[in-house]
Amino acid sequence: MNKVRVIVPASTTNLGPGFDVLGMALNLYNVFEVEISESDETKIEIEGEGSDILPRDEKNLVYQCAKRVFEKIGEKIPPLSIKIINNIPLARGLGSSGTAIIAGLMSANALSGGQLTDQEILNLATEIDGHPDNVSASMFGGVVISAQTNNGIAYMKLDMPKKLTVVAVVPDFHIITTKARELLPKTVDIQTAVFNISRASLLVAGLATGDFRLLDISMQDKLHQPYRAKLIPGIYDVFESAKAVTENVAVTISGAGSTISAFCYDTDACAIGESMCKAFMKHNVKSYSLILDIDQEGTRIIKL
Ligand code: HSE
């Protein structure tokens, strides 16, 4: 085999209290075709989101990640022909770079005979992305809980018995994750820790049982959102605007932002999206909403 197509879902992470732990895959996909090239040069084509700014040389993240796999198995990377079709907006907290990392690692692993296990790929992906929540959700699909250990990432995928719709409201500005991480405190007090543990535990129980009654409380957070709120104009009005539509909704920053995710029933999704975009507009922020489902399958890899 010398060509693969890798389809990788977007992710919304943290889900409020699960900072760097909880991730959910969404049915919005970046598509990557990676081929061992006949010529002796690597060629990279990019279409869609970020095609005007992403590098088309060996600095490209997909290529860099493919190279890591060949290094790990002690082989020289062959010249590659890479085609990237990006549908996930960049630097908006929807895990776009996580998809590039997974695509680079998984395509190179497939093209080199599948020597690395999923666990090794996830460990490597986490090392590259700096946190496991986006890459584990994109890789496995559904809602994934990840814990960093001395022996790599311990993870579990939740079996969700009930559907939940995600309204992702994407504003027209970027947030760079590393910058948004610099705003966070180095330590927190015990009450803050307990606040987040209690919410994250309720959230996992609610998602696993399909009992969404406490979803709003379960998605409260004190670890990262209060510090990142200043990066997103009108954030609390946007939160409130979703709650003005229905009480059956929970709203969080998606990953490090700038997207805001509302978790709701599909019948409320359109009205929630409209209401949140209007609230952003009052703060002179243009935005659009995507109505998404949870992707349950994770990364698909197709031999071509
Ligand atoms: N857990 C990460 C963060 C996700 O919040 O910084 C970044 O997309």
Side-chain angles (χ1 to χ4, degrees):
M1 183 204 2
N2 65 0
K3 184 169 182 181
V4 288
R5 180 179 299 134
V6 190
I7 303 170
V8 193
S11 55
T12 184
T13 55
N14 300 327
L15 309 184
F19 177 71
D20 278 2
V21 172
L22 299 178
M24 177 187 279
L26 300 170
N27 67 341
L28 175 69
Y29 304 90
N30 283 346
V31 180
F32 306 81
E33 286 181 3
V34 183
E35 183 175 14
I36 298 180
S37 179
E38 307 264 285
S39 83
D40 51 7
E41 262 181 49
T42 285
K43 200 176 122 227
I44 301 175
E45 269 178 72
I46 307 173
E47 280 176 24
E49 298 284 342
S51 59
D52 48 342
I53 50 168
L54 291 169
R56 286 177 168 74
D57 58 16
E58 294 184 359
K59 288 202 238 23
N60 185 281
L61 187 55
V62 179
Y63 180 85
Q64 285 293 322
C65 293
K67 196 165 162 213
R68 288 288 290 269
V69 170
F70 284 95
E71 277 165 9
K72 199 168 166 69
I73 62 171
E75 287 180 22
K76 189 171 173 312
I77 185 168
L80 297 175
S81 170
I82 301 175
K83 182 167 180 189
I84 302 171
I85 303 164
N86 277 339
N87 297 308
I88 304 170
L90 241 59
R92 302 303 213 296
L94 291 168
S96 174
S97 47
T99 70
I101 293 169
I102 293 297
L105 297 176
M106 290 187 74
S107 61
N109 191 43
L111 293 173
S112 58
Q115 300 182 49
L116 303 186
T117 61
D118 280 357
Q119 181 71 60
E120 288 172 310
I121 289 176
L122 178 61
N123 294 349
L124 207 48
T126 301
E127 200 187 294
I128 297 165
D129 211 21
H131 45 87
D133 41 347
N134 292 104
V135 287
S136 55
S138 285
M139 194 167 165
F140 302 115
V143 172
V144 184
I145 305 161
S146 308
Q148 309 225 32
T149 78
N150 291 337
N151 297 316
I153 305 304
Y155 65 92
M156 282 188 107
K157 178 173 169 177
L158 278 189
D159 196 8
M160 280 183 64
K162 267 209 200 145
K163 243 174 86 85
L164 195 59
T165 296
V166 181
V167 182
V169 176
V170 185
D172 70 347
F173 62 89
H174 300 156
I175 289 182
I176 305 299
T177 299
T178 46
K179 295 270 173 255
R181 291 176 83 83
E182 281 166 13
L183 297 174
L184 308 184
K186 297 273 175 288
T187 56
V188 295
D189 60 29
I190 191 86
Q191 287 95 335
T192 307
V194 171
F195 183 97
N196 268 59
I197 294 166
S198 60
R199 270 62 179 180
S201 306
L202 284 173
L203 178 57
V204 170
L207 295 175
T209 57
D211 180 344
F212 301 149
R213 282 175 303 170
L214 297 182
L215 207 61
D216 185 23
I217 291 170
S218 306
M219 286 199 168
Q220 292 170 342
D221 160 68
K222 285 193 177 177
L223 281 185
H224 71 109
Q225 294 189 155
Y227 305 96
R228 289 169 162 175
K230 63 178 173 210
L231 300 175
I232 304 176
I235 180 169
Y236 293 117
D237 287 345
V238 176
F239 278 24
E240 284 311 312
S241 71
K243 289 177 187 165
V245 175
T246 170
E247 59 185 18
N248 296 319
V249 64
V251 197
T252 70
I253 300 179
S254 182
S258 56
T259 294
I260 305 289
S261 289
F263 302 82
C264 60
Y265 294 113
D266 57 352
T267 43
D268 295 324
C270 279
I272 289 173
E274 266 177 39
S275 183
M276 291 169 71
C277 288
K278 267 195 201 144
F280 258 136
M281 210 52 228
K282 285 194 188 135
H283 293 267
N284 298 316
V285 176
K286 288 193 192 116
S287 63
Y288 61 92
S289 65
L290 297 166
I291 296 177
L292 301 169
D293 287 325
I294 303 177
D295 166 274
Q296 289 294 351
E297 211 180 312
T299 297
R300 292 85 159 149
I301 182 147
I302 300 157
K303 295 172 186 167
L304 297 173

